[in-house]
Amino acid sequence: MTTQAQKAIPLPQVEARVPIPRQNLRVPGPTPVPQQVLDAQAAPLINHRGPEFSAIMKRVTPRLQYFFQTTSPVLTYPASGTGGQECALVNVFSPGDHVVAIIIGNFGTRLAKIATAFGLNVTKIEFAWGEAADPNVVESRLKEISDYRGVLITHNETSTGVTNDVKTLAEIVRRANPDALIVVDAVSSLSSLPLEMDPWDLDVVFTGSQKGWMIPPGIMMIAASERAWEAHKTSKLPRFYWDWSSTRKNLEASWQHPTTPPVSLFYALDEALEMMIAEGREEIFARHVKAGEYVRGRAQAMGLKLLSTDPRYASNTVTAIRTPAGIETKAILKKLREEDQIVLADGQDHMKGKMFRVGHLGYFTQTDLEQAMDAVETRLHELGYQA
Amino acid sequence: MTTQAQKAIPLPQVEARVPIPRQNLRVPGPTPVPQQVLDAQAAPLINHRGPEFSAIMKRVTPRLQYFFQTTSPVLTYPASGTGGQECALVNVFSPGDHVVAIIIGNFGTRLAKIATAFGLNVTKIEFAWGEAADPNVVESRLKEISDYRGVLITHNETSTGVTNDVKTLAEIVRRANPDALIVVDAVSSLSSLPLEMDPWDLDVVFTGSQKGWMIPPGIMMIAASERAWEAHKTSKLPRFYWDWSSTRKNLEASWQHPTTPPVSLFYALDEALEMMIAEGREEIFARHVKAGEYVRGRAQAMGLKLLSTDPRYASNTVTAIRTPAGIETKAILKKLREEDQIVLADGQDHMKGKMFRVGHLGYFTQTDLEQAMDAVETRLHELGYQA
């Protein structure tokens, strides 16, 4: 190894900045943010250990509990949704613990990967991309699997546009193994789709700010049942940043955090929760139902095929559409972005280039969806598509 | 365990929001943010997998490399500074690895705690709060310690207002153990105080957005030397969220991230780096030298005692002042906040209530510091202080 001094790094030449464009952002996160929430971020910074910040947390926390439908404290971290996946696992399990991962797409796969990376023993119950977890299959598979400490479930699979029936799946798990910890990835569902943590007896639920919450990415929210807090006490996976105990202690002692929270994003969250409560939880759900039905209806009316195979499980936050034969996914996405300022998402993993996804969660109007689907129709035909 | 359904959680009553006050925020992070940077956050959201976001990363990354003084990629994560501490350790070490932690205050203690939590074998070289790490002591102690894989050093100890001579300490470590990984916590120093990662042959360096970078909290930045990247290959600590490989791969392939980055904070970082480069790196350093000298000079002129025992190591980003006898720390902080809209920080850990800290890093003017120190003088006298 060298110990020689290196040369100084000169000032780099970079490309000039250009204004951020205003687009019809129809990816499944980051989602568009209302102007008043964007503006809320621009308030001056405050001390995260002062009373002004505590006042925000004191307002935001019970409102998050309301959207989670839990009496457990909702903890918040500076992180992405993937941070929620890691945080959920390292707080309740120990090396070698056996967990069952119910996988229906890319984010279910990721959760299982994290479990494996942390030394858990993972048994997978996998379904093809586009399918939901079939409750009957899960029930019979669980009978063959023994000694599992937890079951990992994706509520809404962002990569396929499929929503699992978490309520039914949780009932099945609870019957099969009353003490199992039910870990639910609700990143792209919570606040947009019905999910009731306590009534459904879920143990760990987490979500991300850039999805249904109408704010930019950067805050991860997570809550744990009494059963999960009990498991936390004896869980031996190494942790510090994600540790629930210190986060809960600071929240309960002073409505604060053990480390520095993303203050400006909490201004946004405070504002967005005000708007969400003004709209109403049921009304938000209804708006998402209508959006899902509209986007799927338009796609099918154009003769396009959805990835989701069963209408009962089609997601009301994101629709995955198979790219029709003869059309390049890249080409349609580029055309929409450059000519219509409409941004859709490509497929992920092995479905990259084979599908595109339309996000319809958080802050959107019916006009946004109409404009997007009109443009998809026009541009596909321009590229030679015939239904 | 019960499996009974829980009652629904009703909409909570919360206290009404009040406007965020404009304060002279003189804590050592979060630091004040220039209006144009605050406003930059309010741009519409974009796709983190699109060309607009890549353009930001393509501009921001080489500029971060310039401030780090490294040719290594600077990786960014949605996280606080503590996330940087954890990220630094889990990427290069394996369970049971022996590391030496040089501790001069609360954040050095925290880094050692994280190392212990992850199963490393930690030997501490501790100095009293207020002291810097004495290079001679470190050199002689290192001769007695064998088989260590890394040395953990705090550049600027936010809890005590002391800056270690990292350049000299790194030379000592390199002489003692050429292959040791030198991990530097530069959270409250980088961009404000001189630090040259490659010329000083440092292996892992990390910082946080809410300190010298003039933006809100929420982005953690970290870089690793070739020696650290080599260690990364065989490091066995469990990791996923913090994994450097996937973050580097996404950065190099497409100027993007493996998970969703805090997009609005990157708008702020892009704007802030523009301002920082317009001001000039050396000029920023000079402004901080002047600030440190001013605040210490004013404190001493009032007859107050600094926690920092040796002027050579007094920090130019934060000054820790012992609360004079007969004065309650809480009372002076409350008075300043409520009557002058000036926010200082209390001491941490065993020094809570025994000192107060004045932050002077990132975005500030000489007038901000004068106003703060004038008010400290006035309010201390009102509380009965006599020099």
Side-chain angles (χ1 to χ4, degrees), chain A residues 165-238:
Chain A
D165 179 355
V166 166
K167 185 170 186 280
T168 299
L169 293 172
E171 285 165 2
I172 288 168
V173 172
R174 203 51 81 216
R175 275 201 301 274
N177 182 344
D179 295 333
L181 296 172
I182 301 175
V183 175
V184 177
D185 178 338
V187 170
S188 63
S189 62
L190 197 44
S191 82
S192 304
L193 309 181
L195 181 139
E196 301 175 13
M197 181 169 169
D198 288 1
W200 295 0
D201 202 14
L202 311 178
D203 294 301
V204 186
V205 175
F206 55 90
T207 183
S209 59
Q210 77 279 17
K211 304 290 186 180
W213 304 92
M214 310 199 299
I215 73 169
I219 301 178
M220 184 276 287
M221 309 129 180
I222 190 165
S225 68
E226 276 184 42
R227 194 184 287 110
W229 278 102
E230 201 54 40
H232 174 75
K233 285 185 196 164
T234 54
S235 151
K236 289 194 173 53
L237 278 180

Side-chain angles (χ1 to χ4, degrees), chain A residues 2 6 9 15 17 23 30 41 48 51-52 59 69 78 80 82 86 198 217 227 241 259 261 264 271, chain B residues 2 6 9 15 17 23 30 41 48 51-52 59 69 78 80 82 86 198 217 227 241 259 261 264 271 337:
Chain A
T2 173
Q6 307 284 317
I9 310 299
E15 280 174 43
R17 290 183 302 154
Q23 301 167 323
Q41 297 175 90
H48 65 299
E52 296 87 1
R59 191 165 41 242
Q69 284 290 293
S80 67
T82 301
E86 186 160 313
D198 288 1
R227 194 184 287 110
Y241 185 77
T259 78
S264 60
E271 181 75 39
Chain B
T2 172
Q6 308 282 318
I9 310 298
E15 282 175 43
R17 289 184 302 154
Q23 301 167 323
Q41 297 175 90
H48 66 301
E52 296 88 0
R59 189 164 44 241
Q69 285 290 296
S80 67
T82 301
E86 186 159 314
D198 287 2
R227 195 184 288 109
Y241 185 76
T259 78
S264 60
E271 181 76 38
R337 189 173 57 75

